[in-house]
């Protein structure tokens, strides 16, 4: 339900969804026409509608009629939030198309393996990155069409290629491979134990831990799917471009040919180019003229350096490595970009001000770092904190040892980032309540009042719980998504399927935390799961509305710290089950929405999600074991290299020690980092000024709609980690794309922008995949490129910025 703040919905929400509409509506302009207020399809897929024998069916796809095709003075579609998905996407279905083919499983499993391996490699990179789902979508399309064309459709081979490659096979492959193409947070926990603690779980227990933590989110997703997926108000905007891409590829063969040729050229070109910044000439990761002009200034290193992990803020660096730029600069809406850019500039001033004011002894620690340091650390000699000196043989805090060894220090910039991220987390809760109370009220009613009424009426009980019919919503409900109404012909996944996965995963997880000697008690485990469910609700609304969700990990970690004090391992596992379950549930809910938009049957979506998650989790663990064995010393170092970095593991472990072992000594009132804890309270207040100004001075809404308070707070700590030389180029490309290309070359933008981003991501990721195993040492010895000026042989930073004496 839309919250009636200004008209029928908030101005901010309308502006964001209007951006998505304008970007995606182009692909529908050739296939929809307005006739007496009704939008109808002019043509169906050129693939035809195929029976299982490959013949063309007489079946006519069901088409849902829409009557909201309002346009602005430039002819672009303007729709209300609740109508967006039925305006920019075809609302029809062809039930004769089947996803259950050999082709689906073969390509899906292959891309699942590729995505899982690449996501794990990215976990050990200096900069956080993810596998592009748009690339997976296009790669699966190319492979599917190739199998359909090259394999004869005769005799026994017909089983391998029963009919032309169709849209539902394509969506099923993407859901499977997308579910696998994430780095399981559990692998970070196990890697931290392997690198920083005396013992780690056995391989068998580790694998079961990975699977349990990854599958828990399915139960939450299943319980909440009626309220976070089925209603038309829950758009999941980040799913719309992908859904548009599917319909583009499977509806217009001529357009597909042009776009695919463009994709091949872009992917091939970037694949060749990436060999230079990645391997041959790393100076291209960050060309910095200020450092080339002055190679002795540490101030220049902190402000302008950024080609190496934790080197500097990368201000005005010129990056030529697409791996670090990433394609989101090509399609993030202006609202997100403007808020992020303001946060980025403020982050530079904040970090430089804190460091050179020597707040919290900033100059005695590195400018950027995720490690902990001792009290005697100095600018000329950074002394890392040895956590084993304060822990007993069960990895629990020994107070006597702590009194002798002393408390640790964070790098001040990292402490600042923790503070601003904590502001963002609780600001999100207030923001959702203020602007989307209607959604929360509907969900609360569905989970409590309506359920209680039904419980009190035995005559309304559906005793055949296994058939899934009780899980179908009332199709006369006006809030139900028209896309979902076309899904009612398919068998629903019974809620007991999701509950079974939840119960089984919960049981396995409970057993594993004891087998792994996690020190997390059973009650802490169950409280973590309850918190995960609550955050899935709030973050689910945020992501369904805005396409992104602010992280909840810091708040979960703080709660765990005060619930199970003095136990860093327990804190890591509490955070794993309390936070990772939310992330997984949100990903699964988005997959359900994509399946709904593309009319993939619920049981098919469930099957391919589970399969991809299991395959991905096992490969995540296997490759993590290999990398931590081969690159242990690099992963433990402060800066790492341009290829490998332990920054994610270091950050996770440092927070576990600080919160899990030392919360009462560092974070409570009157202690060193008290404001990091206070930030959780202050975060609830952050969105209030914007809301009340909008409420009492509505004319200011046009300005305020470009500022999202939780996102702004999040970006105030954005530069605290990794390679930052790409950020300036990122925003330059983003503003060129959104305010020049999109405005003055709109046709090109609408036709080729997503294909361009997919080609750049795809070619880059294939290159990184090959280099990681061929020369970077993911599965053996590293093969370095011969030293010369392009990789700053004999120096530390590839951009020639000054190296600090430590």
């Amino acid at each position: 339900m839309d919250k009636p703040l200004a008209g029928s919905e908030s101005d901010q929400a309308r502006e964001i969804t209007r951006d998505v509409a304008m970007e995606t509506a182009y692909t529908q302009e050739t296939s929809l026409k307005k006739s007496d207020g009704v939008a109808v399809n002019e043509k169906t897929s050129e693939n035809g509608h195929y029976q299982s024998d490959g013949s063309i069916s007489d079946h006519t796809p069901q088409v849902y009629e829409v009557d909201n095709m309002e346009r602005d003075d430039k002819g672009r579609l303007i729709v209300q939030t609740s109508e967006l998905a039925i305006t920019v996407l075809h609302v029809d279905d062809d039930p004769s198309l089947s996803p259950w083919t050999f082709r689906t499983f073969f390509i899906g499993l292959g891309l699942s393996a590729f995505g899982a391996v690449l996501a794990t490699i990215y976990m050990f990179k200096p900069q956080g990155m993810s596998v592009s789902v748009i690339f997976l979508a296009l790669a699966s399309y190319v492979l599917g069409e190739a199998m359909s064309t090259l394999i004869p459709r005769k005799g026994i081979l017909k089983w391998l290629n029963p009919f032309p490659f169709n849209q539902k096979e394509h969506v099923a492959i993407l859901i499977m491979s997308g579910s696998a193409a994430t780095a399981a947070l559990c692998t970070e926990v196990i890697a931290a134990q392997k690198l920083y603690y005396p013992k780690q779980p056995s391989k068998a227990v580790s694998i079961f831990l990975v699977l349990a933590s990854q599958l828990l989110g399915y139960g939450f997703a299943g319980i909440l799917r009626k309220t976070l997926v089925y209603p038309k108000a829950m758009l999941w905007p980040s799913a719309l471009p992908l859904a548009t891409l599917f319909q583009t590829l499977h509806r217009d063969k001529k357009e597909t040919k042009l776009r695919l040729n463009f994709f091949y050229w872009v992917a091939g070109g970037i694949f060749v180019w990436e060999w230079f910044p990645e391997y041959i000439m790393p100076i291209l990761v960050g060309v910095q003229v200020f450092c080339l002009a002055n190679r002795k200034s540490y101030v220049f290193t902190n402000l302008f350096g950024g080609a190496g992990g934790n080197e500097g803020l990368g201000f005005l660096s010129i990056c030529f490595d697409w791996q670090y730029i990433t394609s989101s600069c090509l399609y993030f809406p202006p609202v997100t970009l403007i808020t992020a850019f303001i946060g980025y500039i403020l982050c530079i001033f904040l970090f430089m001000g804190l460091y050179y004011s020597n707040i919290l002894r900033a100059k005695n620690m590195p400018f950027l770092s995720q490690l902990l340091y001792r009290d005697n650390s100095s600018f000329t000699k950074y002394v890392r904190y040895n956590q084993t000196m304060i822990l007993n043989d069960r990895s629990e805090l020994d107070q006597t040892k702590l009194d002798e060894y002393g408390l640790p220090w964070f790098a001040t910039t990292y402490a600042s980032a923790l503070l601003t991220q904590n502001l963002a987390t609780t600001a999100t809760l207030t923001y959702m309540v203020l602007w989307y109370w209607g959604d929360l009220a509907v969900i609360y009613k569905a989970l409590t009042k309506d359920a209680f009424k039904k419980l009190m009426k035995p005559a309304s009980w559906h005793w055949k719980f296994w058939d899934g019919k009780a899980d179908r919503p009332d199709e006369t409900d006006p809030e139900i998504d028209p896309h979902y109404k076309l899904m009612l012909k398919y068998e629903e996944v019974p809620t007991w399927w999701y509950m079974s996965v939840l119960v089984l995963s919960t049981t396995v997880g409970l057993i594993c935390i004891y087998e792994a000697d996690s020190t997390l008690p059973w009650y802490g485990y169950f409280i973590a799961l309850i918190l995960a469910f609550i955050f899935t609700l709030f973050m689910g609304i945020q992501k369904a509305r805005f396409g992104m969700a602010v992280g909840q990990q810091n708040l979960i970690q703080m709660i765990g710290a005060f619930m199970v004090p003095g136990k860093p391992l327990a804190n890591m596992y509490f955070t794993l089950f309390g936070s990772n379950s939310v992330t997984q549930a949100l990903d699964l809910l988005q997959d359900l929405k994509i399946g709904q938009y593309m009319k993939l049957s619920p049981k098919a979506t469930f099957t391919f999600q589970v399969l991809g998650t299991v395959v991905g989790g096992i490969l995540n663990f296997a490759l993590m074991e290999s990398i931590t064995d081969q690159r242990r010393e690099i992963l433990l170092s402060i800066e790492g290299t341009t290829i490998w970095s332990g920054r994610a593991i270091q950050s996770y472990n440092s927070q576990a020690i600080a919160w899990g072992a030392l919360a009462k000594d560092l974070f409570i009132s009157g202690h060193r980092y008290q404001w990091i804890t206070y930030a959780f309270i202050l975060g609830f207040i952050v969105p209030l000024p914007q809301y009340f100004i909008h409420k009492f001075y509505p004319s200011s809404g046009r300005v305020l709609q470009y500022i999202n308070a939780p996102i702004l707070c999040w970006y105030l700590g954005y530069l605290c980690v990794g390679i930052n030389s790409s950020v300036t180029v990122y925003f330059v490309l983003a503003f060129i794309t959104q305010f020049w290309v999109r405005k003055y070359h709109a046709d090109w933008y609408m036709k080729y922008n997503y294909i361009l981003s997919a080609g750049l991501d795809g070619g880059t990721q294939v290159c990184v995949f090959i280099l990681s195993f061929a020369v970077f040492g993911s599965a053996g010895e590293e093969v370095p490129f011969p030293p010369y000026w392009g990789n700053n042989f004999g120096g530390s930073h590839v951009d020639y910025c000054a190296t600090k004496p430590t």
Side-chain angles (χ1 to χ4, degrees), residues 240-383:
L240 290 176
L242 193 59
T244 304
L245 179 63
F246 280 126
Q247 293 196 343
T248 299
L249 292 174
H250 292 277
R251 286 182 180 269
D252 188 341
K253 280 296 185 181
K254 182 179 180 181
E255 187 70 20
T256 298
K257 182 178 180 180
L258 293 173
R259 295 183 181 189
L260 283 178
N261 286 339
F262 181 70
F263 169 76
Y264 294 144
W265 281 104
V266 171
I270 199 68
F271 173 82
V272 174
W273 169 254
E274 278 296 310
W275 283 75
F276 289 89
E278 283 292 301
Y279 184 56
I280 300 172
M281 191 180 292
I283 192 176
L284 295 173
V285 172
V287 177
Q288 182 48 262
V289 295
F290 291 96
C291 284
L292 291 173
N294 186 345
R295 304 184 189 182
K296 297 181 180 181
S297 172
Y298 302 135
V299 177
F300 275 29
T301 299
N302 291 339
L303 179 59
F304 300 115
N310 290 338
E311 179 187 345
L313 304 181
F315 184 56
L316 299 180
S317 285
I318 303 174
C319 180
F320 295 94
D321 188 347
W322 193 259
Q323 178 185 202
Y324 298 114
I325 298 172
T326 73
S327 66
S328 61
C329 65
L330 300 178
Y331 55 77
F332 265 14
V335 169
T336 303
L337 291 171
I338 291 173
T339 300
F341 182 72
I342 294 172
Y344 161 65
I345 296 298
L346 292 177
C347 181
I348 292 175
F349 281 101
L350 178 63
F351 281 9
M352 294 296 288
L354 289 172
Y355 185 79
Y356 287 102
S357 298
N358 203 28
I359 303 296
L360 293 172
R361 301 181 63 203
K363 294 183 179 180
N364 290 355
M365 272 73 69
F367 182 59
L368 300 177
S369 176
Q370 295 76 53
L371 296 172
L372 297 173
Y373 295 90
R374 290 200 68 186
D375 195 64
N376 60 343
S377 181
S378 67
F379 178 77
T380 56
K381 185 179 181 180
Y382 301 141
V383 182

Side-chain angles (χ1 to χ4, degrees), residues 282 295 311 639-642 787-804:
R295 304 184 189 182
E311 179 187 345
E639 291 192 357
T641 69
T642 58
Y788 77 113
W789 64 266
N791 53 24
N792 192 13
F793 67 96
S796 176
H797 298 142
V798 296
D799 54 8
Y800 289 88
C801 290
T803 303
K804 296 173 185 177

Side-chain angles (χ1 to χ4, degrees), residues 669-688:
S669 181
H671 288 71
R672 184 176 299 163
Y673 297 116
Q674 59 180 340
W675 285 102
I676 292 179
T677 305
Y678 289 157
F680 286 118
I681 301 173
L682 296 175
F684 288 109
I685 304 172
V686 168
L688 295 179

